[in-house]
Amino acid sequence: MPCVQIKTNVPVSEETSQTLKSRFGQMIAYLPEKTEDWLMITLEDQCRMWFGGKSDQPLAMVEVKIFGDQVDAAGSQKMTEEICALFQQELGVDPKNLYVRYLASPDWGWNGGNF
């Protein structure tokens, strides 16, 4: 049950959103037992965002949420590297203006019940 939530102050075209979706579908496999089959992605572009009190540059916040007790450190490190490169290439977000947060939770609901 991974879920990737993306917020950025940059406008994202349909083509770029499809590129992001595809790349996250590949990257999620860096986390053990996570696949695109259960991956949900949300994308909010053109958000009002400030970093260091400023909003004059492209910014982004990415949250990667997974079902489980902990996030694999090696997998999340590799994923962060790729997310930073992807957002710089596709959205012009400098890696110093991007946060990536990983959260693990044993409490997930789906299809009328909890795991």
Side-chain angles (χ1 to χ4, degrees):
M1 297 19 245
C3 178
V4 175
Q5 296 181 299
I6 302 164
K7 292 184 180 184
T8 182
N9 62 347
V10 176
V12 181
S13 70
E14 182 60 32
E15 181 180 342
T16 300
S17 67
Q18 289 298 317
T19 298
L20 296 175
K21 178 200 70 79
S22 296
R23 293 286 300 278
F24 275 101
Q26 296 165 358
M27 283 188 277
I28 201 66
Y30 290 132
L31 302 177
E33 301 178 16
K34 306 304 177 203
T35 67
E36 186 176 20
D37 293 340
W38 288 93
L39 177 61
M40 181 178 285
I41 300 171
T42 65
L43 171 62
E44 296 179 49
D45 65 342
Q46 297 182 320
C47 290
R48 292 182 189 172
M49 298 179 77
W50 296 265
F51 185 62
K54 300 175 185 173
S55 64
D56 61 343
Q57 295 185 33
L59 305 170
M61 173 71 194
V62 178
E63 290 188 325
V64 181
K65 300 173 183 180
I66 64 163
F67 173 66
D69 294 326
Q70 63 184 17
V71 176
D72 180 75
S76 63
Q77 176 62 43
K78 184 129 176 94
M79 197 168 174
T80 296
E81 292 169 9
E82 287 207 24
I83 290 170
C84 287
L86 175 64
F87 276 61
Q88 187 166 35
Q89 178 182 346
E90 295 295 329
L91 301 178
V93 177
D94 189 307
K96 70 180 182 189
N97 292 323
L98 168 75
Y99 278 151
V100 182
R101 181 179 188 205
Y102 295 88
L103 300 165
S105 174
D107 303 312
W108 280 69
W110 172 74
N111 197 24
N114 290 342
F115 288 94

